[in-house]
Structure formats: C-alpha cells, structure tokens
C-alpha cells in the first residue's frame, strides 16, 4: 500500500478493512523505526512512514522528572512556639518515596494501566498496535492510545510545566497542548518516554507517576488522594482502596470519590483493575472476592480539604494568612523577578514562619465579634482590631468581624446562588490595602490629627500655645509653599455644639476640637503635614489618579499619597487600619517607624533558612517631638474623648479617637511603649450613623473606648509596656511668644508693644469698663498667654463707665465709704444682716457686693455687710 493511499483514506470512516490496513501500516513503521535505533519499535497508524521518521527524529529526546509542585506550610506562634497555621498550594500534593507507597497501589497502577511496565523501554509495542487499530483520521480514539505509565508520566510532567507559566493565557495554551491527543503529540510522548526509561530506574518512574497523577477534587499524588478520600496514608491502603484510587486517573472529574454520584463509575473501573491484579497474582481469590463485594460507602471516609487560608488554624486567622501569603510571594528570597517568585511559590515546598500570635488573635477575634456581630442586619457593619509591635513592625494580630470567604457575595451580579458568600462573610480584608486583598480603606477622622500635631511641634510650636476653636470660615490654605484659595469657603464644624473659644493646643488635642486644628494647619504647610504622615508610613489604601506636570505636559499618574484638600487634616483620606496601627507604633517607638512585617522566616524544601522580611526602621520623627506629642495624646485616654480607655494594668498609653462627619466610621488608635493597636467600627458600604444604632455593648459610636481598652489589655498580657519619657519643658513650650500686658495703655502704645512681640494687633472696639476712657481694658488671649508668631491679639478699650470695686474688707464703715467714693461709687448701702464676729471686729466690713476687684457701673449700689457679735447679731449700741 502506498503512502498516498494511506493519506487519502484519513477522512473516511474506519471499517474492518481500514483497521487491517492500519495494522499493516503500523508494522511497516515499526520496522523502519527499529532500523534507526529506536527501541522498542514504535508504530503509529494514519501517518506516512517517511514523514513520521522525520518528525520523530526532530523531537526532543529527554525530559527531566524534576521537582513536583508541593505544599507550602504557613506557621504562626502560640505560647511562644511555632505552630501550624495553614497549608497553601497550587496543587494538593505530598511527595512519597517508593517504599512509602502501598504495594496495593503500585500493583493497581501497573496491572490496571501498564502490565508490561517492568519489561518495556518506555513504549509498549503491543499496546501501540492495539491503539493503531483503533485510531481514526489521525486522531487517537477510545483505545487509550497505548500509553504506558512512562508516557502518562511525560504527559503529566508537561501539564505541570504548563501550570508554572507566568500568565493564564500561556498556561491555558500549554496545558491544552499537553493533553491534546494527536499523532504528533503521541510521537513526542513516545520519544520522551524512551528517554526517561533510559535515564531513570523503573522504581523512580513509577514513584514519580504516583506522585504526579491527578486524582480529582484538586488532589494530586496518591498520598493526598489517600488522605482526602480515605483519611489514611498511601502506605496503608487495601486492594479495593488502591484500585479505587487508580480507577480515577483516566477520568478524574467523573470517577473521583468526593461525591457518591461518582461511585458507580469508579466501581466499574475499579473492578477491572482488581481482576487484573488477581490475574497477575498480586491478590488471591479471597482478596478479590472481598474487594469486589465492597462498596465505596464502606471505605470512603472523606477528610475536608485543608488547602488554603480558609482552613487556617485558630479563630479568625484566615485574613492574616491570606495577607502573609501575598507578602511572601513578593520577597526577593523566592526569586529576582515576580515571574520567578510566582513560579517558585507554585512549585512549593516552603515553610513560612509568620509573625501572627494566634493566642492574641483568637482573643481579639472573639472580642470584635462581641462588639460588631457579623449578623448585624441594619447596616453593613465592619469591625477590625490590628496590633503591631512598636520596635519591630511585626504584626501580632489582624482580627475582623466578618468571616473569610472568597466566594462572591450572595445577591451580587454574577454570583451563583448555590455557591456564594452570605452576608456574614467577605473576601475583603478590612485591615489592609487594596493590593493585598483589602478595599479602599476608611476615612480616619481625627485619628489623623497627631500628624498635624507632630508637624506643629516640628516647626517649633508648643503644646501651651493658644488656638481658637470657635467655628469660622477659611478662604485659603498653604500647599507646598503656595497660598491656595478655597472656594466655596471652608467652614469646619466641631463635634460638639457650642464647643470653641481659646484653648491650648494640648487641650485641643485631647478634646479633639476640629476648628482649633484647622487653625493650627493654617500656620503650617499642608505638604509638610503630609510629609510627616508619610514618614510614618501613612498612605492611601487604594491608589488614586492625579495630574502631574504643567501646561501641555500635564499627565495622569497613579499615587497612594494622601490628597491635600482643606479638610485633609481632619481625616478625610481613606486609609487602612493596619497603616494607622503601624504609624502610631512609630510614634510610640520614640519616633522610629518600622514598616509592618508579616514574615519572620522562610525555609525552602531543602530545609535552608532564607530569612524573612528585613526589619525596615527609620527615624521619622525627632524623639523629643514624639515625646511631646505623646504627653498630650495620653490625656485622650484619661480626661479626653476616650476617657476611661486606659488599661487597668498600669502601663503607660496614649491614643486618639476619630469620628467621620456622618459618624459612619468610628476609630480609636493608641499604643503602649511596646504595642500599638488600631480599632475600627464602621460601614463597609453606606453611611448609616453609628450614633443612632445600638449594638450588644450599647450605641456603636460609644463602644470604642471599652473595645480598645480590652483589645490593648489582651496584647499587654504578653507584651508588658513601660512608661513613656516626659518631654522637656522647652519642647512643651516651643518657641511661643508671650502676650505682653498692655492693660491701661493707649491703643497706640498697645499696638507697638504687640507688634514688637511678633504678634498681630486686632482692634476689638470699646467695651464698658473701668479705668481711663480710651485705654486698654483687656486682651484676648490674656497677658502672658503663649502664642505662635503672627497670631492675633484682640485689644479692647474701656469707655470709663465702670469702676473697679476696691478691697474694703475689715475696714470701718467710714473708711469703706471713703474708699468706694474715691473709686467712683457714690451709692453705698449697709446691710442689716450681720455676720458672726470674734468680739474684736464688730461693725467692720465682712462682705461687699459686687465683689472686690470686679468692674461695675459707677452708679451701681454697693452693698456691704458688717460683723456683729459672736452670734451674728447687731451690737447693743449699733454701728455708725
């Protein structure tokens, strides 16, 4: 038969004659291949012999067994010791050695898939001829293609290699190519199988096959399959169990044992394998009969998959696990490029020691659940607790109220109603940035104020300086050295009605007075405030797009830098709780900021320690500035907006509350000398005020004080804090200017004195008062008050209509009358009510109304009360 005739018949249906011709073609090809030294002979129907030899010679000859993808183990700490947290892998696989695999499994593989495995050189001539008879139109049919275990191993290796490619598109293309059953693909498998058989012992090939094969339900290798389906090791399987596992390989999606609906299909193939094992004398008749009589329900004992962070140990540690896995895949220890790191992680075999303390995390998870139940139906309530070690940046806890679930939310677009996440669950890590599985972050409210305070102190200002908290409008602010207008007028409000007036910066801090802080920011540059915040690691949780450049060169760029709108100093930017905890940790650490660390160490499959995330600490804030800020922030927890938040263990702590305009986000962030903790309650979506919703602990808006106190107490139990160092008086005072005493001076004299002190004179007008008309009666702020350079001093002059009531206590009636007349008061009234005397002071002045030193109109009647006898009665002779 000519080659042309063979080719012409490829498009026709197979007949008995066609099959016979195919068989003859196989024989001819086998002979030709033998002549070129390919042993054993290889024959393939449906391709001309001359073209086949050319294709075969051009194929690669060897493929390496290499390392198979393995599990990665993630560890945490409990009781100070490393403990298992999670097993994470692309492929659920645990490699075994030859002697660790049950003989029943090995025999089932050989007897069911490749009876002549021990005798052929990678390709079985008899099986190939049988496959050739069944081939149709250049494609392999239902005969199985005559694939030996070695050829199947080649296919599995190529499938595994495909899954290691960097992009999904590349992975899909390579995987489909690996599993495509065509003549060229079969030729490549045969030649590579021959190469494997030449290079590796049979035991190694069989072991590799049993470790690499896919057994359905995301399970790879016989050990993972034995654990998944039978809850036992692959060394302990019965003949029925071994045959059931090997029954899966030809059709893993329809014969696996994860669901009883697949049992019949599995048993059909299992029984074929069992009979083959008996025929090959690997089991006796009794074993055969017992195995055939058994039902999968008798021996299938499923173990829940332990893959991934969803199965992480501990209460609520899943979100930290997910974060840690993403972090470790960025570490240079896994490769010099992201492509190399991703491939290394997929190959697995790493042991990752994280920083998580599961004991503390478990306790904080239970705590946040008690304050913010994930069953809350009136709003989409979120709650978070993060604790960070101050002097290292190590993340100790990452707890949130929602349960971990990567499925789409039920009811969302495209969600499968039979496989979706209920409202109690989420796949969003509320603690972290968007790039690590978080959302857009949350407005921080007044927890951002410490960064303005730090910059205030950096510029030489003091805590005692007076700032005005009375609401007013602001028309401009300084941004990067330029004064920028604000339109419409910015009119910030204080959190409490009626709050305002002059106050010290310290008071404005622990009372969290918004307008006072905007007034502070008016004396600073918003870019400098941002720089201070960024030095402590503060950034947006979700990158924003901004414009850069000038004129025609303007272009868009993506940045995580905070946005400098006029209200930015009051916490309008969206920031992740972990970021805030780390920033406060930097303040507590004498101004040395350490970037958050989740990984202590990574060990590779060979047991070599590769190290963890490097400790990355910088002196962001001058220590004296940090101490001064802490001294003010400490009062937040004792007499300020979070009074009562100090933990009862006696450790020194500071903190700051934060509430958004709508009270839809509620924060308290604080720190001991050792650990900083951020707590957040709020709307994940929506803006329902937490001031109007009661939770298990009362109003959600009022829960933060006790929540933070308990959360910090948990970490204090293992991380004992100390006392913060007091700042120097000079640091507290800063370079403030004292208001000069100008009372009694003319306006011109007062203006000169105030300007000379570096302050700004403001005419407050005339007021009713004592003294010489037209002279200064008072100033706001009062004399000796500390102000920053350029601050305004409002000066009030007197109209002279009032006089100051003199001190006349103890004087006689006549002396008192004379003193009052001299001061300008001509109307004196003597009270008929006497005060008890001592026998020596009868008829002298005991009381005066208005009181001494007060200002009153000159026509005001001044009433004086006198001393009487010891019983408070009038003297017998009266008083004149």
């Amino acid at each position: 038969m000519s080659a042309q005739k063979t080719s012409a018949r490829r498009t026709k249906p197979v007949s008995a004659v066609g099959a016979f011709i195919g068989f003859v073609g196989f024989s001819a090809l086998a002979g030709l291949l033998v002549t070129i030294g390919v042993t054993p002979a290889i024959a393939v129907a449906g391709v001309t012999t001359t073209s086949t030899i050319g294709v075969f010679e051009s194929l690669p000859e060897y493929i390496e067994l290499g390392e198979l993808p393995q599990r990665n183990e993630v560890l945490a700490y409990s009781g100070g010791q490393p403990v298992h947290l999670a097993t994470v892998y692309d492929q659920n696989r645990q490699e075994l050695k030859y002697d660790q695999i049950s003989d029943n499994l090995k025999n089932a593989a050989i007897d069911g898939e490749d009876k002549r495995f021990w005798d052929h050189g990678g390709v079985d001539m008899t099986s190939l001829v049988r496959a050739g008879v069944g081939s149709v139109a250049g494609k392999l049919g239902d005969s199985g293609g005559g694939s030996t275990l070695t050829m199947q191993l080649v296919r599995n290796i190529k499938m595994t290699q495909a899954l290691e490619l960097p992009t999904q598109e590349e992975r899909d293309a390579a995987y489909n190519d690996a599993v495509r059953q065509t003549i060229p693909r079969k030729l490549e498998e045969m030649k590579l199988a021959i190469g494997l058989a030449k290079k590796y012992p049979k035991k190694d090939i069989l072991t590799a096959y049993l470790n690499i094969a896919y057994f359905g339900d995301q399970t790879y290798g016989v050990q993972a399959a034995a654990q998944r389906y039978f809850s036992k090791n692959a060394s302990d399987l019965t003949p029925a169990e071994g045959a059931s596992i090997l029954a899966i390989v030809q059709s893993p999606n329809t014969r696996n044992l994860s669901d009883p609906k697949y049992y019949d299909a599995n048993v059909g193939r299992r029984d074929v394998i069992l009979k083959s094992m008996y025929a090959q004398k690997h089991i006796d008749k009794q074993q055969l009969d017992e195995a055939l009589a058994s039902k999968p329900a008798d021996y299938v004992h499923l173990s829940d998959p332990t893959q991934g962070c969803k199965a992480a140990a501990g209460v609520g540690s899943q979100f930290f696990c997910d974060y840690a896995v993403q972090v470790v895949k960025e570490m240079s220890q896994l490769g010099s490029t992201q492509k190399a790191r991703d491939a290394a992680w997929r190959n697995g075999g790493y042991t990752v020691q994280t920083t998580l303390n599961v004991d503390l995390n478990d306790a904080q998870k239970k705590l946040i659940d008690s304050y913010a139940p994930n069953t809350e139906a009136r709003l989409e309530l979120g709650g978070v607790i993060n604790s960070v070690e101050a002097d290292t940046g190590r993340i100790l806890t990452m707890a949130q109220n929602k349960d971990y679930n990567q499925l789409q939310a039920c009811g969302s677009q495209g969600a499968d109603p039979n496989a979706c996440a209920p409202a109690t669950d989420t796949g969003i890590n509320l603690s972290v940035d968007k790039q690590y599985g978080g959302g857009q972050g949350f407005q921080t409210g007044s927890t951002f104020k410490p960064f303005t305070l730090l910059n205030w102190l950096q510029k030489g200002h003091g805590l005692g300086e007076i700032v005005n908290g009375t609401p007013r409008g602001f028309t401009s602010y300084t941004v990067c050295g330029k004064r920028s207008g604000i339109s419409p007028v910015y009119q910030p409000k204080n959190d409490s009605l009626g709050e305002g007036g002059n106050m010290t910066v310290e008071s404005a801090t622990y009372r969290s007075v918004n307008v006072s802080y905007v007034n502070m920011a008016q004396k600073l540059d918003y870019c400098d405030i941002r720089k201070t915040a960024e030095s402590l690691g503060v950034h947006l949780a979700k990158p924003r797009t901004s414009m850069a450049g000038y004129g025609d060169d303007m272009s868009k760029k993506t940045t995580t830098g905070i946005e400098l709108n006029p209200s930015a100093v009051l916490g309008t930017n969206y920031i992740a709780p972990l970021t805030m905890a780390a920033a406060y940790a930097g303040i507590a650490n004498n101004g040395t900021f350490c970037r958050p660390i989740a990984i202590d160490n990574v060990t590779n499959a060979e047991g070599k320690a590769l190290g963890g995330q490097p400790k990355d600490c910088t002196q962001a804030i001058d220590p004296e500035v940090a101490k001064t800020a802490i001294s003010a922030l400490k009062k937040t927890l004792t007499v300020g907006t979070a009074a009562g938040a100090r933990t009862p263990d006696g450790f020194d702590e500071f903190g700051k509350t934060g509430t958004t305009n709508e009270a839809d986000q509620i924060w308290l962030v604080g720190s001991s000398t050792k650990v900083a903790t951020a707590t957040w309650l709020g709307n994940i979506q929506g803006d329902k005020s937490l001031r109007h919703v009661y939770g298990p602990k009362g109003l959600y808006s009022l829960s933060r004080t006790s929540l933070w106190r308990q959360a910090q107490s948990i970490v204090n139990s293992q991380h004992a804090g100390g006392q913060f160092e007091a700042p120097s008086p000079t640091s507290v005072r800063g370079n403030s200017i004292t208001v000069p005493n100008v009372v009694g001076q003319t306006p011109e004299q007062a203006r000169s004195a105030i300007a000379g002190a570096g302050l700004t004179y403001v005419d407050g007008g005339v007021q009713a008062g004592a003294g010489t008309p037209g002279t200064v009666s008072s100033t706001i702020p009062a004399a000796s008050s500390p102000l920053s350079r350029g601050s305004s001093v409002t000066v009030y002059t007197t109209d002279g209509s009032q006089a100051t009531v003199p001190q006349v206590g103890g004087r006689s009636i006549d002396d008192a009358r004379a003193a009052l007349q001299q001061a300008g008061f001509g109307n004196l009234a003597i009270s008929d009510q006497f005060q008890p005397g001592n026998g020596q002071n009868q008829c002298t002045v005991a009381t005066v109304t208005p009181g001494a030193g007060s200002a009153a109109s000159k026509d005001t009647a001044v009433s004086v009360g006198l001393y009487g006898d010891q019983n408070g009665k009038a003297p017998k002779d009266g008083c004149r």
Side-chain angles (χ1 to χ4, degrees), residues 502 738-746 750-751 753-754 759-762 764-765 767 775-785 787 792-797:
N502 285 319
T738 300
V739 176
N741 187 352
V742 295
V743 173
Q745 296 182 5
T746 66
R751 184 185 299 274
I754 289 171
L759 302 172
T760 302
Y761 179 98
V762 176
Q767 292 183 330
T775 61
V776 175
S777 59
S778 64
T779 62
I780 297 179
S784 300
S785 297
L787 292 178
S792 297
V793 177
T794 303
V795 178
Y796 298 93
T797 55

Side-chain angles (χ1 to χ4, degrees), residues 268-330:
R269 178 61 183 162
R270 179 203 70 176
D271 290 353
V272 171
I273 295 173
L274 286 169
K275 291 172 184 177
S276 182
M277 292 171 69
Y278 173 71
Q280 297 298 318
K281 303 186 184 309
H282 287 131
I283 57 174
D284 58 30
K285 186 64 166 64
Q286 181 180 350
Q287 290 175 305
L288 173 65
D289 292 341
E290 290 176 353
L292 292 175
S294 66
K295 298 178 180 178
D298 299 330
Y299 54 80
V300 171
H301 303 287
L302 294 176
S303 292
D304 290 335
T306 56
Q307 143 69 344
C309 289
K310 184 173 177 58
V315 180
S317 59
Q318 294 82 6
F319 288 102
F320 174 86
C321 173
D322 185 272
Y323 172 76
V325 167
Q326 294 186 66
V327 169
V328 76
K329 289 194 287 186
E330 294 180 343

Side-chain angles (χ1 to χ4, degrees), residues 444-456 493-495 499 508-518 520 529 568-571 580 584 587 629 633 641 656-659:
T444 60
S446 294
T447 58
F448 193 86
K449 285 177 181 171
F451 310 123
T452 299
L453 176 61
L454 289 167
N455 189 243
W456 173 266
K493 298 178 180 179
N494 293 322
D495 198 45
E499 192 173 47
T509 298
Y510 66 74
R511 290 168 54 196
S512 197
V513 181
N514 290 339
V515 179
S516 291
Y517 259 78
V518 176
M520 290 164 61
I529 297 172
V569 293
L570 301 182
M580 295 301 291
Y584 277 54
I587 299 172
L633 292 166
T641 53
K656 186 70 193 72
T657 55
T659 306

